[in-house]
Amino acid sequence: MSEQSSFNLSTELPAWKQLETTYEAVGKTLKVTEEFSSDSERFSKFSETFTNYDGSKILFDFSKNIINDKIKNELVELCKEAGVEKLRDAMFSGAKINETEGRAVYHVALRNRSLKKMEVDGQDTAAEVDAVLQHMKEFSEEVRSGRWTGYTGKQITDVVNIGIGGSDLGPVMVTEALKSYAQPGLNVHFVSNIDGTHLAEALKGLNAETTLFLIASKTFTTAETITNANSAKHWFLDSVKDEAHIAKHFAALSTNAEEVSKFGIDTKNMFGFNDWVGGRYSVWSAIGLSIAIYIGFDNFEAFLKGAEAFDANFTSTPLEHNIAAIGGMLSVWYNNFFGAQTHLVAPFDQYLHRFPAYLQQLSMESNGKSVTRGNSFTNYQTGTILFGEPATNAQHSFFQLVHQGTKLIPSDFILAAQSHNPIEDNLHQRMLASNYFAQAEALMVGKSAEQVEQEGAKGGLIPHKVFSGNRPTTSILAQKITPATLGALIAYYEMVTFVEGAIWNINSFDQWGVELGKVLAKAIGKELDVAGDVSTHDPSTNGLINQFKEWSQ
């Protein structure tokens, strides 16, 4: 069992048992509207404001959640008994809390812009991390300024990032979220899917003379990434005809110098990162090079500093007022006591349209586990199913289920008070904000049969217009989505995920669940390369493979 874990199953903890009792006695019948009526200080009591390093603020309003003082205190006690603070401190000290892989979990060291000592295995990481960042700064500024040119001397106009998983989702999300900071005339494209369509569409209209490829693979052996990289190289060479020019148009985000060199990339243009950086946490590392090129290194550094500032909040704030701890506790409260299986994240911001997709990997790859750190199968639910789309579009698709469905769906709503595009005298932002406030209020207050009847509905129509209300939301209100704000928001969800995993006593930092499919795919790939039917699998898989072979010829 883990040194950080003094228990095995979370259900063994006294605080867990107390919460079960409290849920039955209070929680499942608690009405948030009644709590507001009886406590005029509820909003301020259950809200926390984060102040970033640049003075900007983010308000986290937890007051519309199904909690009261007693429940919150018991959730805090659960955190303490589960050793959340102890595990947090171990992570920030560089301890190898990813025990199944024998690794530290130290992505927090990547945003250590104060350059304080942060050690792994007795070695300070600050200088090494900063050296990579300075290399990224030099390279990104050369590309942005036009000093870095293609083989014909033309300035780079398009950057294509080829990766998958964390090597793709983070850069895609951040470049979209911070698009307003981009340099005009410099475009980024992302290829991750092994489906050839993804690469083919990304390359349409690009000029080999002005295109730079970033190959993002720590080992430089990831099957999908290297297949796409080789196809991109072939596309480039079809136009260029000379492999010597690869060095001017390809860079590697990798640590495998041998494979990078074999590919034809000059190892001077290789940007490494350590094995204590998990893929879904790698946006802060060299994997963020496409971001630095797109928005500029100063903005990328502000992004890192925003996350670093939130890290400081997480490590120094008592659990009672610890923003990420509260978010994680609430997730456990709904998942394990109310039986909620999903969590909605709805950004009221078009630039954040890829944010839920990014959080899906962060949350579900981290906490989609059924074995504890004590090597026992859990007897409780872990890992919520996270989903989301930007509002107001989402209101016209799946919000019906959130409001009137049979499932409890705890929701996070995110809004910036200031828009990057305040068109029509800011009319659009005011309409967006009105929906942000109204949706959270409607989910809480609902609408009774009496109200529906007073509005003129009659007979059998009445129940169709009733809203039960008491559906929990957390409202996150930022001043503006800046690089620093985005960094802090990502760090918030990282730490929420951490707190969930710590309470569930699972290892949030390995991902063995992705391995089996990869292994089987390699074996099947060999079978697809040769003629003839296969019979080595179950009847369904055999039938599908053989039909594919027949139809694909």
Side-chain angles (χ1 to χ4, degrees), residues 50-337:
F50 166 73
T51 302
N52 215 324
Y53 82 95
D54 59 359
S56 63
K57 298 180 186 297
I58 308 173
L59 171 64
F60 292 80
D61 174 19
F62 299 107
S63 64
K64 290 188 178 75
N65 282 282
I66 309 173
I67 54 172
N68 58 17
D69 291 330
K70 175 179 173 60
I71 293 167
K72 183 181 177 183
N73 290 338
E74 291 178 5
L75 286 167
V76 168
E77 186 59 30
L78 177 62
C79 269
K80 291 178 179 178
E81 290 184 10
V84 169
E85 294 164 301
K86 187 176 180 181
L87 189 64
R88 172 199 66 191
D89 294 344
M91 178 173 74
F92 276 84
S93 72
K96 296 181 180 180
I97 65 169
N98 179 358
E99 293 158 323
T100 61
E101 296 181 308
R103 293 177 181 172
V105 177
Y106 225 30
H107 52 277
V108 292
L110 297 171
R111 52 227 198 191
N112 174 25
R113 299 316 297 140
S114 58
L115 300 180
K116 62 177 180 276
K117 181 178 285 189
M118 299 186 74
E119 294 185 342
V120 171
D121 292 329
Q123 299 294 314
D124 187 16
T125 62
E128 180 183 2
V129 168
D130 188 59
V132 173
L133 286 170
Q134 295 310 315
H135 188 195
M136 292 170 64
K137 178 180 182 179
E138 177 187 23
F139 187 85
S140 61
E141 289 181 348
E142 284 202 340
V143 173
R144 287 169 60 83
S145 68
R147 293 193 301 273
W148 180 286
T149 62
Y151 74 101
T152 61
K154 292 182 180 178
Q155 186 170 340
I156 297 298
T157 58
D158 293 272
V159 177
V160 181
N161 187 92
I162 299 178
I164 197 167
S167 298
D168 171 78
L169 283 167
V172 169
M173 182 274 291
V174 175
T175 53
E176 285 295 303
L178 301 178
K179 185 176 287 188
S180 59
Y181 295 86
Q183 177 171 298
L186 185 58
N187 307 301
V188 289
H189 314 266
F190 295 90
V191 176
S192 57
N193 201 331
I194 195 59
D195 183 343
T197 298
H198 202 185
L199 180 64
E201 288 293 335
L203 295 178
K204 278 184 179 178
L206 299 191
N207 182 347
E209 296 178 65
T210 57
T211 300
L212 173 68
F213 292 92
L214 307 179
I215 313 304
S217 172
K218 184 188 296 186
T219 62
F220 222 74
T221 58
T222 308
E224 297 93 337
T225 298
I226 298 309
T227 300
N228 278 328
N230 279 315
S231 296
K233 181 168 73 170
H234 297 154
W235 172 87
F236 177 75
L237 291 175
D238 282 346
S239 173
V240 173
K241 311 299 184 187
D242 186 346
E243 292 195 6
H245 297 317
I246 290 173
K248 294 290 288 180
H249 291 267
F250 285 79
L253 317 180
S254 177
T255 56
N256 191 338
E258 183 179 355
E259 290 300 320
V260 167
S261 182
K262 281 183 186 177
F263 187 90
I265 296 173
D266 187 339
T267 53
K268 291 179 183 177
N269 302 322
M270 187 175 84
F271 301 80
F273 48 101
N274 300 82
D275 66 1
W276 38 256
V277 181
R280 57 193 173 277
Y281 300 96
S282 63
V283 70
W284 318 103
S285 73
I287 292 297
L289 182 59
S290 59
I291 303 169
I293 294 173
Y294 190 55
I295 67 172
F297 185 82
D298 288 347
N299 284 321
F300 182 72
E301 188 167 44
F303 171 67
L304 299 179
K305 288 180 177 179
E308 180 185 30
F310 195 90
D311 290 344
N313 178 280
F314 181 59
T315 55
S316 64
T317 307
L319 291 173
E320 290 80 1
H321 297 286
N322 192 302
I323 296 169
I326 294 169
M329 290 186 280
L330 286 170
S331 178
V332 172
W333 175 233
Y334 294 126
N335 187 311
N336 297 103
F337 298 91

